[in-house]
Amino acid sequence: MKKRAITIISYGQFETGFLSKIAKEITEIYQWPVTIEERYIELSTFYDPARRQYDANKLLREIDNSSSPDAVKTIGVFHVDIFIPIFTYIFGQAFLNGHTGIASLYRLKNELYGIEPDNNILLERFAKVIIHELGHAFGLKHCYTPSCVMLSSTYMEDIDQKEHKLCSKCRAELSLNLPG
């Protein structure tokens, strides 16, 4: 029998070891092992030509429909620019207290903002987004503690200013929500 784990599904190539480093942080926070898989979906199905972005709601539903029920939680990771109708862009999204989430690396890259690329900062930002979205999947709502990873992040600077860990209040709430 396969051991239950949080599953990261990569939709696109990521640098060797990049997702493994994030998986280690996820395990530290959520106390579940993490598996990493690669899959392919035809992304053009999710592309909105009027916005020149990818519909996060449709992507999230697709990941939810194709995720294994044996996984503790599943998060799909992408390189494309994602949106929901009420926002110009988002970094990620998850079903609150659900099974799945998604995260995108696209808006986290320094070079998008005219700054020198920095893979360490990129890794840190992406880890925070994935940990945040998994928090929602585990039932956590946005937090108001400035350093908590569950603080809402509208801009990249918001991500940079918070930690990659949960505050004590969110850790306590998480312990009530974790599956046995």
Side-chain angles (χ1 to χ4, degrees):
M1 180 183 207
K2 188 176 173 182
K3 187 175 181 180
R4 293 195 66 203
I6 293 171
T7 304
I8 298 174
I9 303 174
S10 164
Y11 293 93
Q13 294 292 319
F14 286 85
E15 190 176 302
T16 304
F18 188 82
L19 294 177
S20 296
K21 291 175 185 172
I22 294 172
K24 185 178 177 186
E25 288 189 51
I26 292 169
T27 298
E28 288 175 17
I29 292 169
Y30 294 111
Q31 301 299 302
W32 281 96
V34 176
T35 60
I36 300 169
E37 299 176 9
E38 285 187 34
R39 291 192 194 160
Y40 174 81
I41 56 174
E42 181 53 55
L43 284 172
S44 63
T45 307
F46 306 95
Y47 186 71
D48 183 323
R51 292 189 63 145
R52 294 187 297 191
Q53 293 173 295
Y54 295 81
D55 188 320
N57 290 327
K58 290 179 181 177
L59 278 170
L60 182 58
R61 281 192 299 277
E62 176 68 23
I63 303 311
D64 196 52
N65 290 336
S66 65
S67 68
S68 168
D70 295 333
V72 174
K73 301 292 178 188
T74 301
I75 186 141
V77 293
F78 298 88
H79 287 277
V80 297
D81 195 11
I82 59 177
F83 78 94
I84 58 175
I86 61 169
F87 289 118
T88 306
Y89 62 88
I90 59 172
F91 304 111
Q93 179 165 290
F95 287 120
L96 184 63
N97 215 13
H99 189 68
T100 54
I102 61 171
S104 174
L105 198 63
Y106 185 85
R107 294 264 175 179
L108 304 175
K109 298 176 182 180
N110 275 352
E111 49 271 37
L112 190 64
Y113 307 96
I115 305 168
E116 284 292 314
D118 186 323
N119 283 342
N120 292 327
I121 290 174
L122 184 62
L123 175 70
E124 186 176 302
R125 287 175 182 155
F126 204 39
K128 290 175 187 179
V129 170
I130 292 171
I131 291 164
H132 178 96
E133 298 308 333
L134 283 169
H136 287 316
F138 279 115
L140 298 177
K141 296 180 182 170
H142 285 146
C143 180
Y144 295 103
T145 302
S147 62
C148 183
V149 75
M150 292 310 297
L151 182 73
S152 180
S153 298
T154 305
Y155 303 105
M156 192 174 60
E157 295 82 2
D158 299 332
I159 296 171
D160 288 343
Q161 291 176 7
K162 64 184 176 180
E163 300 292 323
H164 69 280
K165 295 184 178 357
L166 299 167
C167 69
S168 59
K169 177 185 155 290
C170 288
R171 276 195 312 275
E173 189 174 330
L174 175 68
S175 68
L176 299 173
N177 297 342
L178 284 176

